[in-house]
Each structure stands twice: as structure tokens, then as C-alpha cells.
Amino acid sequence: MRSTVWREVAESPNLTGIAGPRVRFQCLDANHKHVVLGANTGSLYVFARTRADGPSPFGPDADAPEGPLRFMTVVSPPRQPSDDAAKDDPADDARTPQSAFASRSRGVSPAIRRIKLSPRGDRCAIAYATGVLNVVEFRPGVERRGGSPKVIVQIPKAHVSADVTWLEWSPDGTRLLSGDDKGRVGVTEFAKGSVVANTLALGSAVAQASFSASGLMAALCTNEAVDLLSVPTGVHPKVGTKPREGPYGGCFHVLARDAITPRNNPGSQPESEWMLAARPGRRLWVAAAWLEGGEGARGEPRSAVAATLKPDVPKGSRAPGAPEPKPGAKSRKWEFGRLHPLGRTCVLSVAERALAVVEVPGGSLLEWCPLGEPGSVGIAAGVASAAAVDARALLL
């Protein structure tokens, strides 16, 4: 096994030189070509990823060292709905681009809380501190510096007065999941020139969401449980029978089934898709998920927990910015967190107290780093935002 290689691709002084001393970056996302950073000013900063040996974009099998980020452009925020509803267009759940700019009073732009690039990289979902969600056309290199993007749709009501905690695109880029700290989940569908936005209520803050490879199901992870969502119908029963207090993480993974022995689980179905779910603490669930009955893709969502894994915990590694360990000192308690597919065989776990890489076949913990230890700075002090692209993770 190769140990984790850390590389700083953007230093704080360089970012301050680009954005200014008052700008604070709140979140990030990335794809093979770009890294985008959302700021407290409501602006989106776009950077090109580079190889240490050249500017070519990365592919799934690229193994070249990561080079420094190259600044491309800053995208100004579009207008937000005004405080006076009478001055805005009728409050639809999903607004067209024409009504997205209806506000006559711009005021101070709200901070960006979450951002997510679409699978093709041509759209970016942006969640603001007001709870407003914009989906914009994303064309790096085309927008002029400081220009406003073209808003495809604005969803002003799904997360009103809430903090958006997660954004996730379906594999084909036609649906967007958005979750908030009030337990609401928005399901926005882009199809045939129209946009439809629906809202579900889970009753607990959303920690993570993950689509299955087919795009027909999604794992909705909250501070109490994991729900399995049938995307076409909106039905979302719980996975497992023992809810626990604390944030759950979860993701579908092509090799999740290989984490259990024997592989033939009597509770699953031939058409099952497999997922990992992180319970609060040190355990992982491996579960099969499928749609049963109904016509086409409109069956009832079903799941079966095939195994509960408790991997052995090796000695912790040091993340960048971690202090020298003191003799006899105990590190913070290990825990799983949000799960991000990392390459073909692994997942990245990001929690408040630990960062880890888990090998999915066999469910073994390859490496982990404690976070938030006294005296820590940088990444070792805590991860504000993370994005996994193939076998690499970018952390803020």
C-alpha cells in the first residue's frame, strides 16, 4: 500500500493576493480540470488544476504530481430575491432564468455555503447563506472577470431560513439533491427544457446524500438515520432498524458488495445496488438497495443490511499542520464521517475528529489522521470542505 502523499496546491498568501484580505473561502468542489471556491462575498473563484510537469487536465488514470492551482476568473453573484416580496416575481418553487433576476434591490451578497459541479462540468449548483439555491451555466474561460453567470434556475423557497448542508448531482446530471439543517431535501429535476423542484421532510439535519449509479435511488444521511430514496416516487424508508444520535455518512460504491463474506446475501435482489453507511462511531454498514414491484422505475425502495463492519484502527498518521505528538498522549477518539468514493477501491471518510482512507473490498482502514488536536493548524485543525476526484481528494 502507498501512503498518502500531501501536496499544497494553493497557499493562503497567494489566495489573499487574488481575492483580497476580506475574502474567506467557505467551500470547494473540483473535477478533472477545475477547482472552484465559494466565498463569503457570494463570489465564485475558478482555478485550473495543473500537473507538476505541465498544464494538462487530469484523467481517471493520471498519476502525475499535482501542481499549483492557476487562477482563471471570479464569477460575481447573481441577484438574490429582495426582502420585499411585492417587488419580486411570483414565488414559484423553481424560477426560470428570467425571474431569477427579478430582485430590484441587490444589497449585500450573501455568503456561499455549498457548491457542486455537475458531472459534465457545464453547470454549478450554488447554495447561499439565505437558503437560496442557484444553478448556473459554468463555462470557465468564457465568463469575463467579475461577470455574472447565466442562471438556469433559482430555487428560493426549498431551504428558506436554513443552512444548506449538502448538494449532489445524479450521475447523468439531470437531477440535483439539496439538503439542509432543518431536515429538508430538495429534489430538482432538469428535463426537456423544464425544471421541477420538490421538497421532502426528513425531520433531522441532512449530513450527506449520494445517488446510486442508476440515478434511481439515493442515500439520504441525517443526524438520526439513513433513508433510501426512490427518486422517481419520493418514497424514502429507513435503512436498518437501529437509529442512533449523531451524523451518518454514506455513499453507493461499485465494490461495496465485496466488503462482505460470503458475497451472496439472501436479503438482496439480483438488481441490487450496494452502499456503505457510516454509523456514528467506528462502524460501517454494507447494505443492498433495490426497487421492488411497480412499473419501470417506480417500484418501492427496499434495502437489506448485509454486514456491520468494525475495522481495526492502525496508528494514526499526521496531517499537514499537526503538532509533534507528545509522549504518552492519546489522540482524539476515532470516528467515521461523510463518505466520498476515492478511486475504484477506496472511500474517503471526513469527520470532525478524523480523516481516513478505507479500502472497500474487505472493509479495512488503510490510513487515518486525527483532526482538531490542540496546537493543530491548517488541514490538521479540521476540514471545512472536501471533494474527491478519482483517486485524489482536495481539502479546504
Side-chain angles (χ1 to χ4, degrees):
M1 183 200 79
R2 293 186 301 176
S3 62
T4 300
V5 176
W6 297 93
R7 185 179 295 269
E8 192 171 66
V9 296
E11 298 180 1
S12 295
N14 293 339
L15 293 176
T16 300
I18 293 170
R22 296 185 179 181
V23 173
R24 297 291 181 269
F25 293 114
Q26 313 273 4
C27 53
L28 66 74
D29 196 28
N31 58 22
H32 295 140
K33 296 181 179 180
H34 302 106
V35 173
V36 289
L37 299 174
N40 60 338
T41 58
S43 293
L44 192 71
Y45 288 76
V46 185
F47 296 81
R49 293 177 65 190
T50 67
R51 299 172 183 259
D53 57 0
S56 301
F58 289 88
D61 300 320
D63 200 32
E66 192 94 18
L69 296 180
R70 178 171 56 84
F71 176 66
M72 294 184 66
T73 187
V74 56
V75 180
S76 301
R79 295 182 180 182
Q80 301 288 316
S82 66
D83 294 332
D84 186 354
K87 295 181 180 180
D88 292 330
D89 287 350
D92 299 323
D93 280 346
R95 296 182 173 185
T96 62
Q98 289 76 18
S99 58
F101 290 92
S103 173
R104 292 167 171 78
S105 176
R106 183 166 187 141
V108 178
S109 299
I112 294 177
R113 292 291 192 226
R114 295 280 171 181
I115 49 180
K116 190 67 177 178
L117 295 169
S118 66
R120 291 176 52 187
D122 59 343
R123 294 176 177 178
C124 186
I126 307 173
Y128 296 91
T130 55
V132 171
L133 179 63
N134 282 335
V135 178
V136 302
E137 278 191 349
F138 184 75
R139 296 179 295 169
V142 176
E143 302 93 341
R144 61 182 176 84
R145 182 181 172 92
S148 294
K150 178 182 178 182
V151 177
I152 298 173
V153 66
Q154 185 179 73
I155 307 169
K157 297 200 308 180
H159 303 289
V160 64
S161 301
D163 186 14
V164 174
T165 54
W166 199 262
L167 295 171
E168 191 78 12
W169 288 95
S170 62
D172 63 0
T174 62
R175 292 185 174 98
L176 176 70
L177 289 178
S178 53
D180 64 33
D181 62 349
K182 305 295 185 184
R184 292 172 296 195
V185 175
V187 184
T188 306
E189 183 172 359
F190 304 81
K192 298 179 181 179
S194 64
V195 180
V196 178
N198 297 304
T199 305
L200 309 172
L202 300 184
S204 178
V206 177
Q208 187 176 11
S210 173
F211 275 99
S212 66
S214 67
L216 298 176
M217 296 178 288
L220 305 178
C221 308
T222 71
N223 283 350
E224 294 181 352
V226 177
D227 286 24
L228 177 65
L229 171 68
S230 167
V231 178
T233 66
V235 178
H236 53 94
K238 295 197 178 333
V239 178
T241 58
K242 297 180 180 179
R244 292 185 61 183
E245 188 70 25
Y248 281 72
C251 68
F252 283 86
H253 197 285
V254 67
L255 296 182
R257 186 178 181 182
D258 294 341
I260 61 172
T261 303
R263 290 184 58 190
N264 294 323
N265 177 45
S268 66
Q269 299 294 315
E271 64 275 16
S272 295
E273 298 184 77
W274 289 77
M275 62 179 289
L276 296 171
R279 285 175 53 182
R282 288 179 54 184
R283 287 179 169 82
L284 283 174
W285 287 347
V286 182
W290 67 94
L291 299 177
E292 186 175 278
E295 295 183 4
R298 303 190 68 82
E300 291 291 317
R302 296 284 185 264
S303 64
V305 176
T308 300
L309 309 177
K310 187 178 180 180
D312 293 333
V313 181
K315 182 179 178 180
S317 303
R318 293 175 59 204
E324 288 285 348
K326 296 181 180 180
K330 293 184 178 180
S331 62
R332 304 186 72 180
K333 185 179 178 182
W334 157 258
E335 64 181 359
F336 280 113
R338 297 176 178 89
L339 302 181
H340 304 258
L342 186 66
R344 177 171 172 77
T345 61
C346 295
V347 294
L348 175 73
S349 171
V350 182
E352 180 181 352
R353 297 185 293 197
L355 185 70
V357 176
V358 181
E359 188 177 43
V360 176
S364 59
L365 186 60
L366 297 182
E367 188 174 4
W368 75 284
C369 304
L371 301 177
E373 298 284 338
S376 296
V377 296
I379 293 299
V383 176
S385 186
V389 185
D390 297 319
R392 302 188 184 206
L394 292 101
L395 308 174
L396 176 65

